[in-house]
Amino acid sequence: MGFCSRVLLFGLLVLAGTPVRAEIVHLTLPNKIVAQGEFRTGDPAKPAVLLLHGFLQTHNFPTIHRLVEALSDEGYTVLAPTLSLGIPHRGQSVACEAIHTHTVAQGAEELNAWVKWLSARQVRQIILAGHSIGNIYNLAYLSSYPDSRVKKLIGISIVEGRLKIGEPARAGLVRDLRKAVQEDKRKTIEHQFSFCQRFHATRESLLSYLEWGPDKILTAVRKANLPVTMIMGGKDDRLGADWVDRLKKTPARVIIIPGANHFMDGQHEFDLVDEFLNEMKLP
């Protein structure tokens, strides 16, 4: 083989191994706020993945970014939106102490807009996936916006929304908030939620999260009219002691990665990628 032929062959091999370049895309939502996300085009014969970040994060969160890279390398079309949380062109995580006005229902509405955006690009099959509280948005979406193109849900480190005050006190707080919302839903309140010691939000915003307690999440998993897989870390310290056991009593397939924490980082990121790719197979 001549020198020029070898150079040409080398160039083709390099191009063949070059990952798809990330494209930042924008979407004007029904409320006129512009949201953004990362999009990578893959093989149209394969299902596309809509991958959602966790609480107050963005599509650049490491757990999400690693999966975007791995799925793209395997030839899948991937869309990783950043929920606006009411902030135009949001590209950064939001502090717990900021005044939060967004609700879970609004997040589900945004997901519906992104599913339509993805479907408009001739995507026939969509796998919905998310990390941590991102799975609550996914379940809220599935409960309100059924779409035949969404074929499966893959949840990573789904949390049950428990509070440190315990479930009986939580139920009382939810009752009080429901009454308070009727008086003034925009009035702000500070309360512990998720990793936030002081989540500063409107009554309506906080209530929307607190209503997604363990029972409601499990009910939504049971009612999901599609296959559900939950990938959990064996050493996730953000979960209640019986949460994984309760998940196993639903129709969902529950996969445990021994030794992995909530973020599946370190050596366990490879285990997460392997398990996730195995779950990409559709019936």
Side-chain angles (χ1 to χ4, degrees):
M1 181 183 294
F3 174 76
C4 291
S5 297
R6 289 197 299 271
V7 170
L8 177 59
L9 177 59
F10 175 78
L12 290 173
L13 290 172
V14 170
L15 288 173
T18 301
V20 177
R21 179 176 298 178
E23 177 186 2
I24 301 301
V25 295
H26 298 85
L27 174 64
T28 301
L29 302 168
N31 60 5
K32 306 307 179 184
I33 286 178
V34 178
Q36 65 180 13
E38 180 176 340
F39 180 63
R40 302 195 187 194
T41 303
D43 184 348
K46 294 183 174 184
V49 185
L50 196 162
L51 189 56
L52 190 63
H53 57 80
F55 190 52
L56 307 182
Q57 303 303 317
T58 72
H59 69 267
N60 289 315
F61 190 75
T63 306
I64 298 300
H65 180 71
R66 288 193 296 267
L67 281 172
V68 169
E69 293 278 351
L71 289 163
S72 181
D73 287 346
E74 292 294 322
Y76 290 99
T77 293
V78 188
L79 171 64
T82 290
L83 292 182
S84 75
L85 306 184
I87 303 171
H89 301 280
R90 187 173 77 87
Q92 296 181 329
S93 59
V94 185
C96 296
E97 295 77 17
I99 299 178
H100 299 272
T101 62
H102 59 278
T103 65
V104 171
Q106 289 168 348
E109 184 180 23
E110 285 192 28
L111 276 179
N112 184 47
W114 281 113
V115 168
K116 290 181 177 179
W117 182 92
L118 197 53
S119 300
R121 279 142 186 84
Q122 309 306 314
V123 171
R124 296 189 299 265
Q125 295 181 315
I126 299 171
I127 293 178
L128 194 61
H131 177 252
S132 193
I133 287 180
N135 294 297
I136 292 178
Y137 286 110
N138 285 339
L139 289 169
Y141 161 78
L142 292 173
S143 301
S144 301
Y145 303 96
D147 191 309
S148 61
R149 285 164 292 219
V150 179
K151 301 296 185 181
K152 189 171 189 176
L153 172 64
I154 303 176
I156 305 161
S157 303
I158 184 172
V159 290
E160 72 274 54
R162 290 183 181 178
L163 298 177
K164 293 179 180 178
I165 58 176
E167 287 306 292
R170 173 206 182 91
L173 176 60
V174 169
R175 286 195 300 269
D176 292 343
L177 273 175
R178 284 174 179 163
K179 293 179 182 178
V181 163
Q182 294 177 356
E183 299 171 1
D184 185 356
K185 66 181 181 180
R186 309 302 289 176
K187 187 172 182 179
T188 61
I189 183 174
E190 288 188 353
H191 204 282
Q192 177 265 324
F193 181 74
S194 184
F195 57 80
C196 293
Q197 295 305 311
R198 297 172 59 193
F199 180 54
H200 190 187
T202 62
R203 292 168 169 174
E204 181 183 39
S205 175
L206 178 60
L207 177 62
S208 76
Y209 284 102
L210 295 184
E211 286 183 325
W212 278 90
D215 291 339
K216 184 170 181 175
I217 293 171
L218 293 170
T219 298
V221 171
R222 292 188 185 99
K223 290 185 175 180
N225 192 26
L226 42 66
V228 176
T229 295
M230 295 298 176
I231 304 175
M232 309 296 291
K235 290 191 175 180
D236 190 340
D237 59 2
R238 298 194 174 207
L239 310 175
D242 63 343
W243 180 235
V244 173
D245 290 334
R246 295 185 72 182
L247 280 176
K248 288 180 177 179
K249 293 179 181 178
T250 71
R253 170 174 159 79
V254 179
I255 298 170
I256 308 297
I257 297 180
N261 63 17
H262 191 67
F263 305 105
M264 308 280 180
D265 52 12
Q267 65 184 40
H268 302 293
E269 67 181 78
F270 303 105
D271 300 319
L272 172 61
V273 168
D274 288 343
E275 296 291 358
F276 198 102
L277 290 174
N278 286 337
E279 292 302 309
M280 288 297 296
K281 301 170 185 175
L282 294 175

